[in-house]
Amino acid sequence: MQRYFLERDAFVDEETIQITGADFHHITRVMRMNVGDQLICVKPDGQAGLAEIVDVTSETVLATVVKWLKEDKELPIKLAIASGLPKGDKLEVIVQKGTELGAHEFIPFIAARSVVKWDDKKAEKKIERLQKIAKEAAEQSHRTVRPFVTEPLNLGGLIKYANGYDVKMVAFEESAKQGEKGALVSALQNIKAGQSMLFVFGPEGGLSEGEVTQLTEAGFILCGLGPRILRTETAPLYALAAVSYQLELLR
């Protein structure tokens, strides 16, 4: 069943939906749906409804909600991924796969060792593309929440932003090399449903000593992610899988 995250103004009332723009194009041109076909529409608040198409015009798909669904698709906690800006399309991979694994938010982080320089002139388009990737991945994985991608933050901005989170973790290569393996386990055993966690990952060159010092002084907990050294695009997916295992499969 195809799923679409719609803006609030698409919902005319509790039962009537008007779909335009890119979603209209996808429904009519890509999926080739027509009157009588059904799809799932998700409100900004996460409420999903099974809807049936009742009319198709040159610019609008009109659908009626058949029933509202009770779905439990989200992680028990809100997990944000702060990634040191990586090279190439790695950030897109992190957003796409991280969305599939349940991340609630993505924070591009301008780290000391980030090779990539964020061009302010192209920033808006880059964020729009990442938001589009998150939306499509959320639809594909049948989520009820579309993750948000923030503007890039420097270290000071990240630390300030992190004040709104209950638990703050840092994946640190040196911790992994030293065999540290209890910090993440302890954090996941003690965190409660409804709380939030922010997880910081360095770029290809890792985090600098200065960054690690500032993060720990701000209350972040250093942790290893097993005995192997993971790539910058792999580490967030490892962490998300660990969170899902601990909080969804074991509970």
Side-chain angles (χ1 to χ4, degrees), residues 107 153 156-168 196 198 200 215 218 220:
I107 307 165
L153 299 177
L158 176 62
I159 290 173
K160 184 176 180 181
Y161 194 83
N163 289 333
Y165 286 83
D166 297 305
V167 180
K168 299 174 288 187
S196 58
L198 190 153
V200 178
L215 288 168
F220 284 77

Side-chain angles (χ1 to χ4, degrees), residues 17-66:
I17 304 169
Q18 287 185 334
I19 305 173
T20 59
D23 289 328
F24 164 80
H25 180 272
H26 190 269
I27 291 169
T28 58
R29 301 291 189 269
V30 180
M31 301 303 297
R32 297 188 180 278
M33 293 184 185
N34 213 320
V35 174
D37 290 329
Q38 293 185 330
L39 48 95
I40 295 175
C41 295
V42 185
K43 287 183 175 182
D45 64 4
Q47 177 66 62
L50 176 64
E52 183 173 309
I53 298 174
V54 296
D55 189 27
V56 179
T57 69
S58 60
E59 297 181 346
T60 304
V61 168
L62 188 66
T64 300
V65 176
V66 176

